[in-house]
């Protein structure tokens, strides 16, 4: 479904990614793990069109999207839940979800899609008329994911969904992601500093170090790899 091949990009004269190649098959959850500054967010942003690729190619659902504007990439079936949530804080929960649905070409599915996200995240239904900025961090993260789902994406990009959240909320969010994948077959590319949660959830994973892919394997194999345990799981 997604093929990133020999991607080089960065900001100004600073190169952030060096010949990065990543593939995601339909129905998979693939995770990118790495330390802060490894280039994980830059990779997701590049897939969405900003920053633009300097060299290399990005193919999504058989279409070359390397130089495509971000709004057209979104309409092609790719949605992102960004780092730091970036919800519309002055808008209500419902209004945030309505903005997510703009990218869905079939308006007739709005109500059923709404019920789907409320089943995943019942707290959002309780808060439907509440201003998003007044909710807790965990509720805002649920809203960011739900807003992306309202676009009915073929591929969901998730950037640090556990960032700054309590362990119980992190567990709820990862359970919801697993349900989406298992029950709806939703394909996901997940960037996450919590390597333990990410690798437990993912079918496959890539390790990004200073803008280079240094390792790739199944989630289970990476989880049990001594190097990964020492570097990312705090186990020696």
């Amino acid at each position: 479904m997604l093929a990133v091949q020999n991607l080089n990009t960065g900001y100004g004269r600073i190169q952030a990614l060096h010949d990065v190649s990543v593939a995601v098959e339909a129905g998979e959850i693939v995770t990118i793990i790495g330390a802060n500054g490894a280039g994980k967010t830059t990779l997701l942003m590049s897939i969405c069109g900003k920053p633009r690729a300097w060299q290399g190619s990005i193919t999504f659902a058989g279409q070359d999207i390397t130089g495509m504007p971000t709004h057209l990439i979104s309409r092609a079936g790719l949605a992102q839940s960004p780092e730091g949530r970036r919800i519309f804080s002055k808008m209500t929960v419902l209004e945030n979800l309505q903005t997510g649905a703009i990218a869905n070409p079939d308006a007739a599915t709005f109500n059923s899609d709404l019920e789907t996200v409320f089943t995943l995240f019942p707290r959002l239904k309780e808060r439907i008329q509440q201003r998003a900025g007044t909710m807790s961090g965990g509720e805002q993260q649920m809203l960011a994911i739900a807003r992306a789902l309202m676009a009915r994406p073929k591929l969901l990009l998730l950037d640090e969904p556990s960032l700054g959240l309590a362990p119980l909320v992190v567990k709820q969010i990862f359970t919801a992601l697993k349900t989406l994948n298992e029950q709806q077959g939703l394909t996901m590319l997940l960037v996450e500093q919590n390597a333990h949660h990410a690798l437990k959830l993912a079918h496959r994973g890539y390790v990004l170090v200073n803008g280079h892919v240094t390792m790739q394997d199944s989630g289970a194999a990476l989880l049990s790899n001594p190097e990964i345990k020492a570097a990312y799981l705090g186990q020696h």
Side-chain angles (χ1 to χ4, degrees), residues 10 23-24 26 53 57 68 70 73 75-76 84 93 105 110 116 122 124 127 130 151 155 174 179 197 206 212-213 215:
V24 183
S57 66
M68 197 181 279
T70 301
I73 293 172
R75 285 184 194 161
V93 166
F110 179 80
T116 299
L124 296 182
R127 304 276 193 270
Q130 187 170 330
L155 174 64
F174 275 83
T179 301
H197 274 294
Y206 293 82
H212 299 264
V213 172
M215 202 181 296

Side-chain angles (χ1 to χ4, degrees), residues 2-8 19-23 43 46-47 52-60 63-67:
L2 178 75
V4 177
Q5 293 181 304
N6 302 116
L7 179 65
N8 291 273
D19 289 320
V20 168
S21 294
V22 168
L43 174 58
S46 298
I47 292 166
R52 293 256 181 250
W54 295 354
Q55 289 176 305
S57 66
I58 304 166
T59 307
F60 173 59
Q63 184 178 15
D64 187 345
I65 61 168
T66 315

Side-chain angles (χ1 to χ4, degrees), residues 65-147:
I65 61 168
T66 315
M68 197 181 279
T70 301
H71 70 283
L72 292 182
I73 293 172
S74 171
R75 285 184 194 161
L78 199 151
Q80 185 178 14
S81 174
E83 183 182 13
R85 302 183 271 279
R86 297 188 196 172
I87 50 146
F88 300 109
S89 60
K90 292 184 179 179
M91 292 165 65
T92 65
V93 166
L94 180 59
E95 287 166 341
N96 269 272
L97 296 174
Q98 287 169 331
T99 64
I102 289 169
N104 176 14
D106 187 359
T109 66
F110 179 80
N111 287 333
S112 62
D113 294 343
L114 208 54
E115 282 310 309
T116 299
V117 299
F118 287 159
T119 301
L120 272 176
F121 303 117
R123 192 73 59 84
L124 296 182
K125 191 169 187 176
E126 296 167 17
R127 304 276 193 270
I128 188 166
Q129 295 300 340
Q130 187 170 330
R131 274 195 183 189
T134 64
M135 298 197 303
S136 71
E139 290 164 347
Q140 290 183 20
Q141 184 61 68
M142 291 172 191
L143 179 57
I145 295 170
R147 183 180 61 186

Side-chain angles (χ1 to χ4, degrees), residues 163-182:
L163 192 66
L165 302 183
L168 187 62
V169 180
V170 172
K171 190 176 179 183
Q172 287 176 324
I173 284 170
F174 275 83
T175 298
L177 296 178
K178 188 174 183 182
T179 301
L180 278 167
N181 177 255
E182 290 180 349

Side-chain angles (χ1 to χ4, degrees), residues 147-168:
R147 183 180 61 186
L149 291 173
M150 290 300 291
R152 285 209 158 198
K154 296 173 189 168
L155 174 64
L156 177 63
L157 304 180
L158 296 141
D159 195 352
E160 303 283 8
S162 78
L163 192 66
L165 302 183
L168 187 62

